[in-house]
Amino acid sequence: MFYHVKELQYRAKPERPDPLFAKQLQEILGGQFGEISVALQYLFQGWNVRGNGKYKDLLMDTGAEELAHIEMLATMIARLLDGAPVGDLEVAAKDPVIGAILGGMNPQHAIVSGLGAMPVDSVGNRWTASYIGASGNLLADFRANLNAESQGRLQAVRLYEATTDRGVKDMLSWLIARDTMHQNQWLAAIYELEAKENVVVPSTFPRELEKQEVSHVLFNYSRGNESATGRWANGPSIDGNGMFSYVENPVPHGKIPVLKPAPPYIHDTLP
Amino acid sequence: MFYHVKELQYRAKPERPDPLFAKQLQEILGGQFGEISVALQYLFQGWNVRGNGKYKDLLMDTGAEELAHIEMLATMIARLLDGAPVGDLEVAAKDPVIGAILGGMNPQHAIVSGLGAMPVDSVGNRWTASYIGASGNLLADFRANLNAESQGRLQAVRLYEATTDRGVKDMLSWLIARDTMHQNQWLAAIYELEAKENVVVPSTFPRELEKQEVSHVLFNYSRGNESATGRWANGPSIDGNGMFSYVENPVPHGKIPVLKPAPPYIHDTLP
Amino acid sequence: MFYHVKELQYRAKPERPDPLFAKQLQEILGGQFGEISVALQYLFQGWNVRGNGKYKDLLMDTGAEELAHIEMLATMIARLLDGAPVGDLEVAAKDPVIGAILGGMNPQHAIVSGLGAMPVDSVGNRWTASYIGASGNLLADFRANLNAESQGRLQAVRLYEATTDRGVKDMLSWLIARDTMHQNQWLAAIYELEAKENVVVPSTFPRELEKQEVSHVLFNYSRGNESATGRWANGPSIDGNGMFSYVENPVPHGKIPVLKPAPPYIHDTLP
Amino acid sequence: MFYHVKELQYRAKPERPDPLFAKQLQEILGGQFGEISVALQYLFQGWNVRGNGKYKDLLMDTGAEELAHIEMLATMIARLLDGAPVGDLEVAAKDPVIGAILGGMNPQHAIVSGLGAMPVDSVGNRWTASYIGASGNLLADFRANLNAESQGRLQAVRLYEATTDRGVKDMLSWLIARDTMHQNQWLAAIYELEAKENVVVPSTFPRELEKQEVSHVLFNYSRGNESATGRWANGPSIDGNGMFSYVENPVPHGKIPVLKPAPPYIHDTLP
Amino acid sequence: MFYHVKELQYRAKPERPDPLFAKQLQEILGGQFGEISVALQYLFQGWNVRGNGKYKDLLMDTGAEELAHIEMLATMIARLLDGAPVGDLEVAAKDPVIGAILGGMNPQHAIVSGLGAMPVDSVGNRWTASYIGASGNLLADFRANLNAESQGRLQAVRLYEATTDRGVKDMLSWLIARDTMHQNQWLAAIYELEAKENVVVPSTFPRELEKQEVSHVLFNYSRGNESATGRWANGPSIDGNGMFSYVENPVPHGKIPVLKPAPPYIHDTLP
Amino acid sequence: MFYHVKELQYRAKPERPDPLFAKQLQEILGGQFGEISVALQYLFQGWNVRGNGKYKDLLMDTGAEELAHIEMLATMIARLLDGAPVGDLEVAAKDPVIGAILGGMNPQHAIVSGLGAMPVDSVGNRWTASYIGASGNLLADFRANLNAESQGRLQAVRLYEATTDRGVKDMLSWLIARDTMHQNQWLAAIYELEAKENVVVPSTFPRELEKQEVSHVLFNYSRGNESATGRWANGPSIDGNGMFSYVENPVPHGKIPVLKPAPPYIHDTLP
Ligand SMILES: [Ca+2]
Ligand SMILES: [Ca+2]
Ligand SMILES: [Ca+2]
Ligand SMILES: [Ca+2]
Ligand SMILES: [Ca+2]
Ligand SMILES: [Ca+2]
């Protein structure tokens, strides 16, 4: 169950409106690695935890925080849109700044949301649950989380570079710090699980059931041997179960498949 | 540039048709973490590499391999669909197996693809590029790859458990082994980059520009202190830049936001 | 900012597992009018409110509650999936119940989420923000909310009819009651705004700027006059600004449009 | 069955081309609440009506009209695109108007549709049936329709404000008037059904089967009591079945859920 | 502008309900090549025609007809859903037909649409405008139309094979005949345009601006020479502008690309 | 199985960066008819071929080539993005070119992909498998392919017109030539199959099972007889099985459908 307070986790006030930056900032609200994605990803992972109370609590702690981040970004975007212009390009073009705004802002910020934030990314794609996952296997999922926080912090940093507004930078420096913590925490949880299980997910599948002869082999399918010099092609495998090797000229292990004709009621092309 | 040979990387021949399993197997062909996802993710990452020839080659080697895995799964699915029945349920229901097949198979395997594999997941969602990413930051992207291989191997293992067909199991044990290698290789690449940079992505953002006072703090937003006992709340942070701490009763750092009224031409509700 | 407690708003415990009903119940979690939709719709509307504190509070109160409903449904679905079978149809078909389960359950509940709830509807479509909206005009948005609660309660009632599990019915009777309240509350808010403004949204557009001669006219574009007898074709209009009328044989008010040829660099068909 | 005449319902001729406005105008053609949405929503509702001839006719009358509105907008957009420029930005930037057009217009209007309208919204999202619904319950559906006409008229009004082109304004003033009628007509139909049934959808579910103790209660899940003063928290409920009440400090009615471990063949994290 | 009559173009009455076939029949209503696709594709092509009155009329004639086909299918599906069961699987499984129905029907037909047709395909994907197109170049578009009618007729034929219901077969034999006509008519229009222009779209691009040395060459990128024996590798090219040739061992014509490093504010991996 | 070489099929080097053109060029990489679409469409068709080795080889030859085209476009786009600016509009607007770039480029090219190509179209829609198909019937599928190559070449030509960069034009003139070949080759294959079967797909459905009385009739559903003069309304039908005819005033062949009421457990509107 959730309780809301109206104070923000951290302030979200720009120095001045900037409808184009409002559009760009949508990326970390409603984009693939935005706050909606991490909020719902952590909450679903938390709800689906079967046992493992420590991890469940961590997921719910962080999921609830990400809801607060959606809120901060929504507030910031609404303020960046304060008084956004509408109007004819012919008229506007006399002022090149207004011309660029009219041409470059997200038109839905005026027409659809009435100067409010939207659950979309920086080009206007609606948020989709295709971005997220919860598998029931926590090592797999914490890797998903580490990835999301890595991509998300990278995007926040790029947005930080793209503005001179001190209010926006102030808020982003908070979000970037939180992403630092979240990368740290998922790493800590990952190391713990990797130590207990193994680095290969899922660790519970009997090794003898996989074709172990190709479990540590790099096949060279792109001509050029630059990859042969990497750690992944030399020495003991990371999972401790074998030695890495490199196959310079990989050949097929299967035959040319020939499919049976379809039955007549399918009306495929006749053979 | 790509060259194709018609031999499969590994054989893909079931003992007998099984249209329901064909539907399920689509998950690792065209699902969120299926072979289309990893193939296109690695290829786009590879094409976008700016410098870093060793990593680029590794990405292209593996991207090309994943194309071969799509091919193996497509072949297997077509064979699992050999002679799939169509027909009236009334008639079919006399044989409960046929009744279950007609009710449970993906109807598009008959109506749309004519007993062929489709770029869809196990419930029929069309594959979408919303599943994948390439950020230009390789540590971020290798984490995306590690996640994809972890989720993908987990799904392949679950499918292995769900069938008794020895031909299907044979092929899955190959794919599972390759996922073992791919987890290993991305881990190796990640460790190398983490050692060179730092574990926090991106490593190039000056630390003093983030709010470092909250860079290593766990806020307890879900009542209950189970998460306080984890590594992520105690001791030095993983990034080596601070000490983890825990805030049991986090309070807001911002105020209640009040937004300005919209201009009249927006026709929002009057205040 | 949000705080979470782990207790559920109301209990969510079925009498027994039922993987097929788990699939169906996803509709009101992750479907078009499911709990994710109302939660995010109310929260975005609340965050975007410019002034109007009373409505903002109501939106945030209700948005936070809907998050608790997602949680209840996620919990119920995980329990309905407890021990869901996997396996060969040939084997399973000896037991027609298991055969129907294997054919009829959502395969992603086993392969993808590991027996957990997903942000999807009852056929497996991923939740999308295309379902929701927040326009900045509260009368418009409260109508969106009333619609969502009407559709949502209808679906919950249909699901109530489809199960004999007393635990599931118990939880649904809670959710149905809350939908009763939510329909009531949006109606109350709508009546208040309609009384203050007008029933036509937006009320701030000057009436003389619309073609008032067709503002209260029903055109008969589908042959048959059944609709001519309705309230909408007779008597004073609901908005109090005119009289309803009916045009039995509507004719075009515009001409046949003829478009100019495209310029050569567009390479359209030559005229 | 449908018959088409080539005359437009109302004229759709701008004073001059304006490729940026063409992009914006797409919102009410192919956006969430655009004409494709209402056309298909009304037609599907009409086709699915079981009995209720008066409502069916009204739905078909209006659905057919909305097809005519798609046609008007498609015509207007094609004309706004007449002779839209293509070309290098370097060259174009010498004329700031052309620069803003090239940067701001929808590039698919040139590359994909060859200066024609598209089934997309103002940022280029393809229309999706996720926008619409038909439930078989007409009170629910008429509320969906009232919402669509409210959002749609709001968007049309915002677009009216954003142009000085008298031809565009002329057409929009027609569409806005028709939205006035459509809001009126759905309101009339809603009042009729509410009077016959009850305001709560569906009215056919026995009240004693829901948890009536929470059917008229507002829970304060967002700190602050602004919402306590509203009509929705005081006096008789709108449905006439109870009295509104307000719970300032709501507590959970359920326990902390603990899920059973998954079976081994699911390969979740071990407890 | 459109007029509707309530009579169907052709009757749509099954002998008996069949909820599973209702689900399958959705494919040709709301699938990729279903009636919604062809209706909207032809109408958008028609509205965007610039000149060419004969083709415009043909497009509008056919687009209006496809609307009537949506209507027939919606009617048929509603009737196939008459009295569809809901209920517990445990209970239902005593009757294997009911068990298969409950497991195999589209659950949204009960929960969402209340036994009505939906704008979805046979697995429940919502219709999307990503299926359709209108380019302004009629030869291109008529080829799109010919493809749609070919795929659509194929699907209708497969559905015809899958039922023994004489009412369903009766309606399908009408739709199949109309698809015969529509393939014929688009072929006639294509031949006319090909004769006037050339078979290569667009015909207006000066031939000397393309690399003509590879305009008629088949590169053998998939090992094996089966394709070398085809008409496409021998003799005069179809467009009359060259001779087909075959390159057995194609080599790259470009170099290995090396991309410049990204600027620091992008925070890509350091080289 | 696939092998990759790092040399490009043809060079992909612009004279100078142009972030706006990078955005536009995405259309033929990740749009509806872009290279991802044709690559995956041909590969899936090829993998699903049941027999017919000549066609299978042709599909695999061409599918592999299209992968090389994705690669060329990805390379070109990355180079067009070299050093793309980020920054404040206020600052940028002093230089109208930079202002237009910031307003007009795809913001995800900076924030998300770090100056790399993305699997999206020119407005940022993610690529989706809804664009493609493989039916098992090769005549149907080759028509799909001919359509894709026609639309794709048209788009490439329009992009050629929109740039003065000689490097971009050089690469496009290669791709346009390849599209010329691909249209030629699918035409050759189509003619071969049409000669062997018949022009109507599928040719294997017994003609007497369709309503042949309407197999060659054009119904005039859009008032105006322009279409009556076309080849499709006069003379022998293209399939050689009848004579085209024209019905000026088509009437319904079915009755007004009346649907049965829904059962009570569906809670539709009461009749
Ligand atoms: Ca290599
Ligand atoms: Ca906690
Ligand atoms: Ca009528
Ligand atoms: Ca409150
Ligand atoms: Ca070959
Ligand atoms: Ca006509």
Side-chain angles (χ1 to χ4, degrees), chain A residues 57-58 61, chain B residues 219-228 246, chain C residues 6:
Chain A
D57 189 28
L58 182 63
D61 286 345
Chain B
F219 291 121
N220 175 30
Y221 289 121
S222 177
R223 199 188 294 161
N225 293 332
E226 294 89 339
S227 68
Y246 181 76
Chain C
K6 292 197 182 60

Side-chain angles (χ1 to χ4, degrees), chain A residues 3-6 47 49-50 52 87-89 93 103 106-108 110-112 114 124-126 135-138 204, chain D residues 16 20 27 32 97 101 104 121-123 125 155 158-159 162-164 221-223 250 259-260 267-271:
Chain A
Y3 296 96
H4 178 257
V5 298
K6 292 196 184 61
W47 289 321
V49 164
R50 293 176 170 274
N52 316 100
D88 273 69
L89 194 63
N106 181 331
Q108 293 192 327
I111 306 169
V112 175
N125 293 311
R126 297 279 178 129
S135 72
N137 184 296
L138 290 176
T204 42
Chain D
R16 56 185 177 278
L20 258 79
E27 188 64 37
Q32 186 180 10
V97 177
I101 290 172
D121 67 13
S122 63
V123 294
N125 293 310
Q155 295 178 0
R158 285 169 175 166
L159 286 163
T163 180
T164 57
Y221 290 120
S222 177
R223 201 187 293 160
L259 302 181
K260 288 186 194 164
H267 296 273
D268 276 12
T269 301
L270 297 178

Side-chain angles (χ1 to χ4, degrees), chain F residues 48-61:
Chain F
N48 290 341
V49 164
R50 293 176 170 275
N52 317 100
K54 179 173 65 169
Y55 299 129
K56 184 177 192 119
D57 189 29
L58 181 63
L59 286 162
M60 300 309 295
D61 285 346

Side-chain angles (χ1 to χ4, degrees), chain B residues 3-4 50 88 108 138 204, chain E residues 164 221 223 250 260 267 269:
Chain B
Y3 296 96
H4 177 257
R50 292 176 171 276
D88 272 69
Q108 293 192 327
L138 291 176
T204 42
Chain E
T164 58
Y221 290 120
R223 200 188 295 160
K260 287 185 195 163
H267 296 272
T269 302

Side-chain angles (χ1 to χ4, degrees), chain B residues 3-6 47 49-50 52 87-89 93 103 106-108 110-112 114 124-126 135-138 204, chain E residues 16 20 27 32 97 101 104 121-123 125 155 158-159 162-164 221-223 250 259-260 262 267-271:
Chain B
Y3 296 96
H4 177 257
V5 299
K6 292 197 182 60
W47 289 321
V49 164
R50 292 176 171 276
N52 317 101
D88 272 69
L89 194 62
N106 182 332
Q108 293 192 327
I111 308 168
V112 175
N125 293 311
R126 296 282 178 128
S135 72
N137 184 298
L138 291 176
T204 42
Chain E
R16 55 185 177 280
L20 258 80
E27 189 64 37
Q32 186 179 9
V97 177
I101 290 172
D121 67 13
S122 64
V123 293
N125 294 311
Q155 296 178 359
R158 286 169 176 167
L159 286 162
T163 180
T164 58
Y221 290 120
S222 178
R223 200 188 295 160
L259 302 181
K260 287 185 195 163
H267 296 272
D268 276 12
T269 302
L270 297 179

